[in-house]
DNA sequence: TTTTGTGAACTAGTTCACAGCT
DNA sequence: AGCTGTGAACTAGTTCACAAAA
């Protein structure tokens, strides 16, 4: 039996779970490179500091991918995970904001790695439009976003614009039919229910680290 | 009564909580700019799509900052939050890896905003060492990390190096006495217990969005 | 009256422990 | 024997609801 129940799921799956699925995929890729053909949830957990029961639960939710007494076939499980994560289709990404960060992200090799294609950068600064990033990603006018989303089948937008423009640009992105946004601007975006936003909030991350520094090490000065 | 119990806490506080504290601080800054002097947990929750009880609980853990029947004094609460988050000390950041991403982060205005100072970039490429970023952050040799951490009082390291170098560089960072790392490389770092790592995993974020696209919208093709 | 601070109730997420398959 | 898949137990996190303060 191949894929017993897969899909029509997706409703209840928490973001913590999907994040872990992505992590599992990465672990399997590493194992495969090391030449492993099968792996048990136990050894996977030990090598990558995860919990075996959780791995099994996460995977079992999408199908019976394991073989009792054996474990999981690395190659097969990788394929299943890629399918579950929707990485078997081609995923094109548009980056809005061709500033330092936007261009750096456009040229970031990590993105391409797992099969994401950076299709285009978008900006409204005349000097930038028509140019391209170091690695050759073209920069288009933000006003033409809708057109390029259609033409290049862009399904994910990365927001790397100044904070002040964030919501306005998000509205444009949503209007262009994008349903998934990776948001590098600080703060929350207001979007319709059917649009998923994932925030990468550098200020929050740094301040959280600051809290740890302030409280983690005891007895620094007063009292 | 000013700061009734503050600090000696920090042990039990979850990362979700510290993240929220940072968000509250940002909300208050916005409110203050709008001229608000006081704010109730209720109105704070409504305006920024948070939960009023949770705001109160989060804050009450660190002290009795509110006034019954009134709410919180915006300016006071901001000050308290900055103190709780450890933002009242000067926080210097070193970015390891002066590639596209590292340099973009070095010049990212969002970092400086809330009082973080990007003290230096570090790289081991001869062509880069001795140069500086567009906004003037100097690039030093990674081998001199320890020296600069001491000299410039760097307390937070941002890892923006290739995945293959991540663990090796993390070890160097830890050896230099850094206790807080913001990690842009994919995968987990092995560090001692007293070092805090916060990961920004772009691949995981994108793949999580991909999952949503694959499952969020119903009835796309087969079955 | 308004709004905090907080125990109690609830919900979500994780881990345990074992029956059952190979 | 070895390992999965999973109900049950547990832990963490959130929200409710209300007594007490201003």
């Amino acid at each position: 039996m191949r894929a017993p129940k897969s899909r029509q799921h997706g409703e209840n799956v928490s973001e913590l779970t999907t994040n872990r699925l992505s992590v599992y995929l990465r672990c399997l890729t590493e194992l495969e490179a090391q030449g492993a053909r099968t792996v048990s949830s136990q050894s996977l957990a030990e090598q990558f500091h995860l919990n075996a029961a959780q791995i099994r639960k996460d995977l079992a939710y999408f199908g019976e991918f394991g073989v009792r007494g054996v474990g999981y076939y690395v190659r097969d499980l990788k394929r299943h995970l890629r399918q579950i994560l929707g990485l078997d289709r081609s995923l094109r990404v548009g980056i809005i904001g061709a500033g330092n960060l936007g261009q750096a992200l456009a040229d970031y090799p990590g993105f391409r790695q797992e099969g994401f294609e950076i299709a285009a950068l978008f900006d409204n600064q005349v000097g930038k439009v028509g140019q391209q990033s170091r690695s050759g990603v073209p920069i288009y006018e933000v006003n033409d976003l809708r057109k390029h989303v259609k033409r290049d089948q862009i399904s994910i937008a990365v927001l790397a614009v100044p904070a002040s423009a964030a919501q306005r640009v998000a509205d444009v992105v949503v209007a262009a039919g994008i349903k998934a946004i990776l948001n590098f601007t600080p703060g929350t975006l207001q979007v319709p229910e059917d649009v998923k936003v994932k925030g990468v909030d550098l200020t929050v991350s740094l301040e959280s680290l600051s809290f740890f520094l302030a409280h983690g090490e005891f007895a620094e000065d007063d009292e």
Side-chain angles (χ1 to χ4, degrees), chain A:
Chain A
M1 91 199 47
R2 230 59 57 91
K5 42 181 166 177
S6 77
R7 216 127 29 132
Q8 83 260 62
H9 295 76
E11 320 84 34
N12 318 325
V13 186
S14 98
E15 207 155 312
L16 296 177
T17 307
T18 62
N19 288 349
R20 282 195 301 267
L21 294 178
S22 174
V23 169
Y24 301 156
L25 178 56
R26 176 148 63 213
C27 296
L28 290 168
T29 302
E30 198 172 321
L31 282 175
E32 195 181 38
Q34 287 167 22
R37 311 208 57 129
T38 66
V39 67
S40 68
S41 60
Q42 174 123 102
S43 78
L44 195 56
E46 274 163 14
Q47 286 177 72
F48 299 98
H49 315 99
L50 309 164
N51 178 283
Q54 183 152 68
I55 294 170
R56 293 202 297 279
K57 225 173 214 173
D58 285 341
L59 297 176
Y61 180 77
F62 294 97
E64 302 218 338
F65 304 133
V67 181
R68 287 156 202 245
V70 177
Y72 301 87
Y73 288 99
V74 175
R75 188 141 190 73
D76 274 17
L77 185 54
K78 255 192 76 178
R79 191 162 34 74
H80 276 126
L81 279 175
R82 291 184 56 79
Q83 202 247 353
I84 292 165
L85 285 167
L87 301 172
D88 50 352
R89 23 164 99 39
S90 80
L91 284 158
R92 273 183 284 278
V93 177
I95 301 179
I96 329 292
N100 283 333
L101 185 59
Q103 297 218 25
L105 293 172
D107 296 341
Y108 182 65
F111 274 169
R112 295 195 146 67
Q113 220 96 45
E114 211 58 64
F116 295 93
E117 191 195 334
I118 312 294
L121 280 154
F122 295 88
D123 210 297
N124 56 8
Q125 215 173 293
V126 279
K128 285 174 180 166
V129 175
Q131 307 290 115
Q132 53 179 48
S133 80
R134 235 169 291 193
S135 74
V137 178
I139 305 177
Y140 301 124
E141 168 62 50
V142 176
N143 295 324
D144 296 339
L145 182 64
R146 193 192 190 87
K147 180 169 72 189
H148 288 285
V149 164
K150 291 269 141 67
R151 187 182 293 169
D152 293 347
Q153 300 243 69
I154 292 172
S155 56
I156 301 179
V158 175
L159 249 64
V161 299
S164 55
Q167 185 60 59
R168 194 171 46 72
V169 171
D171 294 343
V172 172
V173 165
V174 168
I178 295 283
K179 300 290 184 199
I181 299 174
L182 184 59
N183 179 29
F184 280 86
T185 71
T188 352
L189 298 174
Q190 217 44 44
V191 296
E193 277 232 323
D194 65 336
V195 177
K196 180 79 160 184
V197 179
K198 233 172 150 163
V200 175
D201 197 318
L202 302 180
T203 304
V204 167
S205 297
L206 277 185
E207 293 188 353
S208 198
L209 284 174
S210 171
F211 177 93
F212 171 80
L213 288 174
H215 296 77
E217 43 200 353
F218 327 89
E220 63 250 21
D221 45 310
D222 64 307
E223 194 190 340

